[in-house]
Amino acid sequence: MDPDLILRFLHVIGACVLLGTGAGIAFFMLIAHRSGDARFIAQTAGTVVLADLLFTATAVVLQPVTGGLLAWRLGWPLTEGWVLASLVLYAVAGVFWLPVVWIQVRMRRLAQASADADAPLPWAYHRLFRIWFACGFPAFASVLIIIWLMIARPSIGWV
């Protein structure tokens, strides 16, 4: 088997996991939130946190490893315009993803406490949801642009 092909395959699968898990998590959390049902939100948030730990975190760790090995094996310097742009966008996605994980855990706890007390969701939950929602846009957009950069490998002359 060609090692470069295996690395490309693993790198593409990792990108699919990041994009797919991110889209799925956003969809399920949004649907749960719109229901207003604290118990449903708590259960969904628990599943979302687990998915982030199992799938997203694994892909987050493996993407730079497979990408770095690919760049090295194929002779692409990390200062190559599209590679560097991808790395910067990867950092942007990470800056917005890390707080989201903490926010999801906190939203789950707040929703569970509301469900246990048979009380409405607190103001803190709604505030966290707005922050969570806002963080999703730059993180998801960064991943989409990175995938485009991986496919197109455009010549970026600013580097």
Side-chain angles (χ1 to χ4, degrees):
M1 268 268 192
D2 180 8
D4 294 343
L5 184 59
I6 293 169
L7 278 173
R8 283 180 195 240
F9 176 76
L10 293 174
H11 198 65
V12 168
I13 291 298
C16 291
V17 168
L18 285 177
L19 186 65
T21 304
I25 282 171
F27 175 78
F28 291 118
M29 280 299 292
L30 182 60
I31 295 299
H33 171 78
R34 289 179 50 98
S35 77
D37 180 342
R39 196 166 310 285
F40 180 46
I41 292 168
Q43 185 176 4
T44 302
T47 302
V48 159
V49 168
L50 180 61
D52 253 346
L53 291 174
L54 291 176
F55 301 112
T56 311
T58 303
V60 162
V61 169
L62 291 178
Q63 280 305 95
V65 171
T66 58
L69 288 171
L70 269 172
W72 174 69
R73 289 191 53 85
L74 299 174
W76 294 329
L78 298 183
T79 56
E80 176 84 25
W82 71 271
V83 175
L84 186 57
S86 295
L87 291 171
V88 169
L89 287 166
Y90 195 76
V92 168
V95 162
F96 285 95
W97 175 70
L98 287 173
V100 159
V101 175
W102 176 84
I103 290 169
Q104 289 167 174
V105 170
R106 186 86 179 102
M107 286 178 6
R108 179 188 66 197
R109 287 184 189 144
L110 289 169
Q112 189 62 57
S114 291
D116 292 345
D118 199 27
L121 291 162
W123 175 83
Y125 165 84
H126 293 286
R127 182 176 159 276
L128 286 171
F129 180 82
R130 284 191 299 277
I131 295 167
W132 175 87
F133 191 77
C135 285
F137 286 99
F140 195 72
S142 294
V143 172
L144 285 175
I145 296 167
I146 291 167
I147 290 172
W148 180 83
L149 288 168
M150 284 175 20
I151 294 167
R153 294 189 307 240
S155 176
I156 300 176
W158 48 269
V159 180

